[in-house]
Amino acid sequence: MKNLPNILSAFRMVLAPIFLFMYIQDELIWRSLSIAVFATAAVTDYFDGKIARYYKLESEFGVFLDPLADKFLTFAGFLCLPFLDPGQFPWWAVVLIVIRDMAVTLLRLYAGKKKISMETRFTAKAKTLVQMVFLYIVLLIGVFKQADIEFADSAAQFFNSGILFYGMMFVTALTVYSGIEYLWVNRQLFRAETPTS
């Protein structure tokens, strides 16, 4: 039981590339199944934290692994978007999002080694929420517009309206801003240590 939260986090990391591979296939069946994989990974995110807190199984490794697994899933989601439409979801925006989140992850590792607690800002939490909501909406629209269902035409019209491009720009801007704010608020990590005589 004590390793279950970490096992769930590791399982989420395994599911992320599987989801990515399935979603970028042109066949509707693969893309539809990938949503189930994505949902399963998201459920593990809920349960690993809940189990760790309820049974007091939180560990230093788990504190590192859980957000890293979240990053894997988020990156997989954003990497799918240019395959839907590189005009609305340009690669440069995806790269900026990935670089920001990787930089903050590395900063957390560095802070952990220095035994310094990093301050988490509201914008960082808002960024995560906005990213996930945006991903869910776009990924589902990507399936709906390809399916032969009642909402297919509406999904295609919404997808082709250009609104999602502005959504992508907003998500990218918020992500980059929250990263800059993170670096500024935690700038003490970069101060040279005063040598002792």
Side-chain angles (χ1 to χ4, degrees):
M1 174 64 77
K2 68 178 182 179
N3 292 321
L4 183 57
N6 292 343
I7 292 173
L8 290 175
S9 293
F11 183 55
R12 187 157 70 257
M13 295 175 72
V14 172
L15 289 179
I18 294 174
F19 154 75
L20 173 61
F21 173 79
M22 294 173 69
Y23 194 89
I24 63 176
Q25 306 304 310
D26 289 332
E27 292 83 1
L28 176 61
I29 182 65
W30 286 108
R31 189 165 288 179
S32 300
L33 289 173
S34 73
I35 295 297
V37 174
F38 191 87
T40 300
V43 168
T44 67
D45 182 28
Y46 170 78
F47 279 106
D48 65 4
K50 190 176 183 65
I51 291 171
R53 288 188 295 271
Y54 185 81
Y55 291 100
K56 296 181 173 56
L57 300 175
E58 294 175 320
S59 64
E60 185 175 337
F61 179 66
V63 170
F64 163 72
L65 186 63
D66 180 51
L68 182 63
D70 293 344
K71 294 291 186 295
F72 267 63
L73 186 60
T74 303
F75 292 166
F78 277 109
L79 288 171
C80 288
L81 302 190
F83 289 95
L84 292 175
D85 185 349
Q88 293 198 77
F89 314 108
W91 280 106
W92 63 262
V94 175
V95 169
L96 281 177
I97 290 171
V98 171
I99 289 176
R100 180 273 181 204
D101 283 349
M102 285 298 297
V104 171
T105 299
L106 292 173
L107 190 63
R108 284 188 175 280
L109 278 175
Y110 180 65
K113 287 185 177 181
K114 295 187 70 173
K115 306 298 182 184
I116 297 176
S117 177
M118 286 184 62
E119 181 180 347
T120 302
R121 307 290 290 180
F122 170 78
T123 50
K125 296 178 180 179
K127 179 271 304 179
T128 301
L129 176 62
V130 169
Q131 280 186 348
M132 293 309 296
V133 171
F134 181 74
L135 280 176
Y136 280 126
I137 292 173
V138 176
L139 293 174
L140 284 173
I141 289 176
V143 173
F144 289 155
K145 76 183 187 68
Q146 198 177 13
D148 185 18
I149 58 175
E150 182 180 353
F151 303 107
D153 290 339
S154 297
Q157 290 176 5
F158 183 73
F159 186 87
N160 295 324
S161 67
I163 293 175
L164 294 177
F165 169 77
Y166 294 104
M168 184 67 178
M169 293 302 99
F170 174 74
V171 171
T172 304
L174 179 61
T175 301
V176 172
Y177 172 79
S178 68
I180 294 172
E181 185 182 44
Y182 237 123
L183 293 175
W184 175 254
V185 171
N186 296 284
R187 61 191 180 279
Q188 73 274 7
L189 290 171
F190 306 103
R191 293 174 183 167
E193 295 183 1
T194 305
T196 56
S197 56

